[in-house]
Amino acid sequence: MDDPVQQVLLRRAMVRDAERLEQFFRGFTEVSFCEWQDARFLRGVLLQETTTAYMAFDAMGEVVGAVIGGMLGTRGTINHLAVSPRHRTQGLGQRLVEAASADMKRVGVLRMFLFVDDSNLAGKRFWAAQGFCEPRGEITFERDL
């Protein structure tokens, strides 16, 4: 039997994918996708040179994974990553992270960061397996604009 992850096509997300990206990310309670992150907003994000975004499609053309992040100087961030349940633990999330990481490395990003909800234990395990660690002695401040 063929490996389902090998049958998955990874490609860079484009502006025309904004609605599909929004629908896909909204399907996951563990993805902190804000109400204002609609297709219109995503179209603007996807137009930016500093955005890295990839989508994964199965043989039927259905979205089964996606990642979106951004870069600022020597730092990059993964804003959202999701993989459909039937494709988890098969390396697809890692492929998506590697694609985004390669984009960042190509333009000189030296450190990546991301946020994981305290209660998302599976997410914490996944990111630790990708080489990310929880910073010690730092706290994050944020505000909505």
Side-chain angles (χ1 to χ4, degrees), residues 5 83-85 87-93:
V5 173
V83 173
S84 67
H87 285 85
R88 291 182 184 168
T89 70
Q90 299 174 23
L92 180 55

Side-chain angles (χ1 to χ4, degrees), residues 15-96:
V15 173
R16 70 173 191 234
D17 297 315
E19 287 180 19
R20 289 181 84 183
L21 268 176
E22 178 190 3
Q23 291 170 357
F24 184 71
F25 283 131
R26 289 205 188 284
F28 298 88
T29 57
E30 64 271 30
V31 174
S32 298
F33 205 74
C34 299
E35 69 279 349
W36 47 263
Q37 290 178 301
D38 59 12
R40 181 174 170 247
F41 175 83
L42 287 173
R43 278 191 283 280
V45 169
L46 290 167
L47 284 170
Q48 296 175 15
E49 279 185 37
T50 56
T51 296
T52 181
Y54 287 87
M55 297 174 73
F57 299 88
D58 67 11
M60 301 299 290
E62 293 298 315
V63 180
V64 295
V67 64
I68 189 166
M71 301 165 257
L72 179 61
T74 59
R75 289 189 181 238
T77 182
I78 299 290
N79 298 97
H80 302 293
L81 171 81
V83 173
S84 67
R86 74 176 198 273
H87 285 85
R88 291 182 184 168
T89 70
Q90 299 174 23
L92 180 55
Q94 181 178 355
R95 284 178 59 198
L96 288 162

Side-chain angles (χ1 to χ4, degrees), residues 111-127:
R111 175 164 293 189
M112 292 172 60
F113 66 96
L114 53 94
F115 302 100
V116 180
D117 189 87
D118 282 339
S119 64
N120 186 349
L121 299 179
K124 288 179 178 182
R125 283 191 302 271
F126 171 80
W127 290 111

Side-chain angles (χ1 to χ4, degrees), residues 113-115 135 137-143:
F113 66 96
L114 53 94
F115 302 100
E138 292 182 18
I139 59 170
T140 300
F141 287 83
E142 65 179 27
R143 74 175 188 179

